[in-house]
Amino acid sequence: MKVIYIVNDLDFFLSHRIALATHAVKRGYEVYIVSDKIVDIGHPNIHLIKIRLQRSSTGIFNNLKTIRDLFSVIKRIEPTLIHNVTLKPILYTNLLLLFNKKIKVVNAISGLGFLFTFNIKSKARIFTESLFRLIIRVKKPYFIFQNEVDENQFKKLGLKNDQRVIIKGSGVDAHLFDYTVPNKNEVIEVVFTGRILIDKGLIEFIEAAKLLKEDYHKRVKFSIYGKIDLENPAYITEEDLLVQMDKDYITWHDYTNDVKSVLKRADIYCLPSYREGLPKSIVEAMAIGRPILTTSAPGCDDTVEEGFNGFKVPVGDVTHLSEALKLLIDDENLRLQLGKNSRELFEKEFTLEKIVEQTFDFYEEILNS
């Protein structure tokens, strides 16, 4: 059997989905990844194919060229199964195979992105929803969702029960991200990891820190780890971000490829995002054993049991965010207990082993249907 993973950001696939590809090889699949570039991933049995698949491209010529190239790859490989990740590959592939009943297609909705973050019926959103209605009715592909809110969005577009499954996130390796008791440092560290975007709640993170500065600037530091993403409509420029920094109190450390060490040094993890699929960044912090402060937004909501492993505040509510931070900063025993509970919840629901197993169970169900 042959499987193609199609994603418009190879770095994202390598950080979130590569375990699916390596496991597929172990299961005897012939595995291909179609994406925006080719790098050495150190696995000779996984074949990388580069086509023009840009997240931010809206030009008709570029999109038609991408569709043509994608069609050529699918025709040449003749896969048994295609697993799409993110909206653009999902739309392209399903439209290409609209009347093809032989190739099974799985669409992984890892988050509905900028179009759906705000409840505004823009022309782009209306057009996208219309395409999905057509695809669901004619192609009848399969979908993997990470939360019930996104699933319900597609149920409204006509998706049936036998076409979908909820698998909570992309998983984190429980052995690689092992539970670690926080160091008892004089300065408590609150950490944010993620892309530098408005809809990650980064502005609220900074504003909440500023509200606490007068009373806590000698006891706490706020650390931001993440890369600027100018291809995303919700981007924040480096210039605008640096203006908000405050010497040793609020610091941006750019992107890190060693997030585990960052989380081990942290005392509190905070991601006040507006909407997610299911944030791997939170799951990583849970695995290490840190209390989680996030929002009641789709996706984030699924990672926290209120008062058990952390707290959830309303999206955009800086006051409540600062109050929850203050509660965690002032109570070391609470931080430690919530952190232990985070690890417990992680082991129950979010391990990489569990997510991979659920995904391949879904593959088998699809291929045997």
Side-chain angles (χ1 to χ4, degrees), residues 292-309:
I292 306 301
L293 180 51
T294 187
T295 65
S296 52
C300 297
D301 185 61
D302 296 87
T303 62
V304 169
E305 293 182 8
E306 184 70 18
F308 177 72
N309 71 311

Side-chain angles (χ1 to χ4, degrees), residues 125-193:
R125 177 168 172 174
I126 292 170
F127 178 66
T128 301
E129 289 179 341
S130 298
L131 289 178
F132 272 118
R133 284 193 183 92
L134 174 66
I135 288 164
I136 290 167
R137 184 172 67 250
V138 178
K139 173 60 182 171
K140 295 182 173 59
Y142 298 88
F143 286 81
I144 296 174
F145 297 99
Q146 297 188 349
N147 63 70
E148 290 185 2
V149 175
D150 289 351
E151 181 192 38
N152 289 333
Q153 189 79 45
F154 276 74
K155 284 167 66 177
K156 295 175 184 176
L157 302 178
L159 192 64
K160 306 300 181 185
N161 288 339
D162 60 355
Q163 292 176 258
R164 64 182 191 264
V165 69
I166 290 181
I167 299 176
K168 292 187 175 182
S170 53
V172 169
D173 189 323
H175 303 290
L176 182 62
F177 281 75
D178 54 324
Y179 174 77
T180 307
V181 178
N183 296 322
K184 291 191 175 183
N185 299 316
E186 289 186 13
V187 177
I188 294 167
E189 185 171 13
V190 183
V191 165
F192 168 104
T193 59

Side-chain angles (χ1 to χ4, degrees), residues 168-169 171-172 177 278-288 292 303 346 350-351:
K168 292 187 175 182
V172 169
F177 281 75
L278 195 138
K280 184 177 181 181
S281 55
I282 291 182
V283 177
E284 289 170 335
M286 291 171 65
I288 295 292
I292 306 301
T303 62
F346 161 75
F350 300 111
T351 65

Side-chain angles (χ1 to χ4, degrees), residues 194-213:
R195 287 176 295 160
I196 306 302
L197 301 173
I198 291 171
D199 55 12
K200 292 291 183 183
L202 187 55
I203 301 302
E204 287 78 4
F205 178 86
I206 294 168
E207 290 300 320
K210 289 179 178 178
L211 286 180
L212 298 175
K213 182 178 179 180

Side-chain angles (χ1 to χ4, degrees), residues 5 20 23 27 29 81 83 106 142 144 164-167 353-369:
Y5 294 94
L20 294 180
H23 192 74
R27 292 238 181 166
Y29 286 81
L81 178 72
H83 185 139
V106 178
Y142 298 88
I144 296 174
R164 64 182 191 264
V165 69
I166 290 181
I167 299 176
E353 182 181 15
K354 184 180 183 69
I355 299 304
V356 169
E357 181 183 350
Q358 290 175 335
T359 303
F360 278 84
D361 285 347
F362 192 48
Y363 284 1
E364 290 185 11
E365 182 182 329
I366 292 167
L367 294 172
N368 292 329
S369 63

Side-chain angles (χ1 to χ4, degrees), residues 299-359:
C300 297
D301 185 61
D302 296 87
T303 62
V304 169
E305 293 182 8
E306 184 70 18
F308 177 72
N309 71 311
F311 301 106
K312 294 177 282 192
V313 302
V315 172
D317 194 328
V318 174
T319 300
H320 277 83
L321 184 62
S322 66
E323 290 172 353
L325 281 167
K326 184 177 179 180
L327 180 63
L328 289 170
I329 291 166
D330 288 340
D331 194 333
E332 180 184 3
N333 291 331
L334 177 63
R335 292 198 306 271
L336 291 174
Q337 186 58 55
L338 295 185
K340 291 177 182 177
N341 294 345
S342 274
R343 178 68 188 194
E344 179 184 328
L345 185 58
F346 161 75
E347 290 179 349
K348 179 182 176 183
E349 295 192 21
F350 300 111
T351 65
L352 181 62
E353 182 181 15
K354 184 180 183 69
I355 299 304
V356 169
E357 181 183 350
Q358 290 175 335
T359 303

